[in-house]
Amino acid sequence: MPQSTQIAITGAAGQIGYQLAFRIASGQLLGYGQPLTLRLIEIAPAMKALEGVAMELADCAFESLHEVIISDRLEEGFRGAEYVFLVGAKPRGPGMERSDLLAENARIFSRQGAVLNEQADERAKVLVVGNPANTNALIAASNAPDMDPRNFSAMTRLDHNRACAQLAARTGHHVSSVERMIIWGNHSATQYPDLSQALVDGEPAMALVDAGWARGEFIATVQQRGASVIEARGTSSAASAASAAIDHMRDWAHGTRDGDWVSMAVPSDGSYGAPDGVYFSYPVRCADGAWEIVQGLDPDEFSRDRIRMTGEELLEERNAANELAL
Ligand code: NAX
């Protein structure tokens, strides 16, 4: 029997956690039948709900699931973790400024980074989903000095998948025929969904759609998709977010499709004019458990402008986080 892979999820009794835990337990991350242990973490007031999640996980009788550990102690939850999904975060409350939100989450993610450094497998892959995801990833990585910052990333895969779905619908093709989509920058309203490099059934997307749509409605629809889901469902995207989190981690661990790439927010190296020292969403290719930023693309002036704007927002977030000196 191979060893059980240790997978930690924070915010595991929340909306996304409730989807994520079951999909992973069913084998969607590691492959059907691969043994795994779920280490589910919540804050104390949500522990009763988390007990219910653990009961339901047992009731699924999943072949892959060997053990479920539930805890409100990070030390226990992160122990030996090889894959870490940082989903739990402080939500924006009524009257709360963006700076307050950043400060509250900076405290959460600095502590999580420090405990990961002590307790997790030193090669653990850490995916930050909780918002503001890019800056939370930066803060967590900065507080884990013994871990490689490249082992932290933030999720823009939901935006990426949304963009692929919009392009597929517009061109009348199945979403699986869409390749080389890009989300640049921050997982926020300044993100830049860019289809200028995309292919649909091997053909350049720009030859299939008009430039006005590509630069206008397409971008706005992807940027505002989360708000549209809230308006329709009365609550924010959860199943699609969990699905994207698994896509992100699976491709990172097992590799991207030949000839294709995905969007991940990773430590910027200044490529394409993005600022250094932030977690910036780029097109990346993954192989052998590592990612590389796709090089050699030539963004036009419109794209460079958008990349600059979203980079400026990330710098502002980074500077605000630095002022907290966490
Ligand atoms: P919920 O409010 O349903 O669940 C969050 C859970 O996290 C709660 O159960 C809460 O008790 C727990 N929690 C809070 N602080 C914690 C801490 N310090 N340690 C452990 N657990 C903690 O939110 P949900 O809809 O699941 O969304 C979770 C996060 O994902 C939010 O920050 C949300 O903004 C973010 N999202 C990010 C996306 C992305 O693409 N990067 C898309 C989806 C989602 O909006």
Side-chain angles (χ1 to χ4, degrees):
M1 170 71 66
Q3 266 206 330
S4 185
T5 303
Q6 305 293 309
I7 302 174
I9 304 174
T10 66
Q15 277 209 93
I16 296 172
Y18 187 63
Q19 296 283 334
L20 192 54
F22 291 83
R23 285 175 184 242
I24 292 174
S26 73
Q28 290 183 28
L29 176 64
L30 302 176
Y32 185 70
Q34 293 299 313
L36 62 95
T37 296
L38 281 180
R39 312 186 73 88
L40 306 180
I41 302 160
E42 262 295 349
I43 49 175
M47 283 307 288
K48 188 152 170 57
L50 191 58
E51 281 172 26
V53 174
M55 286 159 68
E56 280 200 81
L57 282 163
D59 295 347
C60 290
F62 285 124
E63 180 171 341
S64 300
L65 187 59
H66 280 225
E67 195 180 358
V68 179
I69 291 160
I70 62 170
S71 185
D72 59 359
R73 292 185 56 249
L74 291 177
E75 288 78 1
E76 185 182 15
F78 288 157
R79 193 166 302 140
E82 298 161 86
Y83 294 95
V84 181
F85 293 84
L86 299 182
V87 180
K90 181 89 181 173
R92 192 164 186 164
M96 202 171 170
E97 295 295 326
R98 194 175 159 80
S99 54
D100 301 331
L101 183 76
L102 193 88
E104 293 269 6
N105 281 299
R107 270 187 279 282
I108 292 173
F109 284 84
S110 60
R111 166 136 164 77
Q112 291 186 348
V115 180
L116 282 170
N117 195 61
E118 293 301 316
Q119 298 292 341
D121 184 299
E122 63 180 353
R123 290 153 306 159
K125 288 181 165 42
V126 182
L127 167 59
V128 178
V129 175
N131 280 317
N134 299 51
T135 299
N136 289 342
L138 173 68
I139 292 167
S142 311
N143 283 277
D146 303 327
M147 294 173 74
D148 187 341
R150 293 175 58 92
N151 287 351
F152 287 76
S153 63
M155 186 166 96
T156 51
R157 183 62 175 268
L158 178 55
D159 309 299
H160 179 105
N161 288 349
R162 286 168 171 165
C164 291
Q166 290 302 317
L167 179 57
R170 181 74 177 189
T171 57
H173 285 77
H174 189 263
V175 70
S176 60
S177 65
V178 176
E179 294 176 291
R180 303 191 178 188
M181 185 58 73
I182 308 175
I183 304 294
W184 299 98
N186 202 1
H187 170 70
S188 75
T190 67
Q191 65 172 263
Y192 170 41
D194 174 10
L195 57 69
S196 64
Q197 312 288 331
L199 303 174
V200 181
D201 251 346
E203 259 194 87
M206 289 305 274
L208 302 173
V209 300
D210 56 279
W213 181 80
R215 290 181 170 186
E217 193 184 329
F218 165 73
I219 295 174
T221 303
V222 176
Q223 288 174 336
Q224 289 155 25
R225 186 70 166 180
S228 305
V229 169
I230 292 176
E231 200 184 310
R233 224 169 71 84
T235 175
S236 57
S237 309
S240 54
S243 190
I246 291 176
D247 287 348
H248 177 123
M249 198 67 108
R250 192 199 51 233
D251 287 348
W252 189 3
H254 302 299
T256 37
R257 286 191 296 178
D258 271 354
D260 200 3
W261 61 58
V262 295
S263 302
M264 281 170 63
V266 296
S268 168
D269 62 356
S271 293
Y272 301 107
D276 273 326
V278 299
Y279 275 66
F280 195 90
S281 181
Y282 279 112
V284 300
R285 288 201 176 95
C286 305
D288 303 322
W291 52 262
E292 290 297 336
I293 296 169
V294 174
Q295 298 295 340
L297 307 177
D298 188 16
D300 62 13
E301 202 182 323
F302 176 85
S303 296
R304 286 200 305 273
D305 222 36
R306 294 289 178 129
I307 290 170
R308 185 185 47 73
M309 284 190 310
T310 190
E312 280 170 4
E313 184 184 47
L314 281 168
L315 272 183
E316 280 169 26
E317 288 186 16
R318 187 193 72 184
N319 293 343
N322 281 347
E323 279 174 22
L324 298 167
L326 291 164

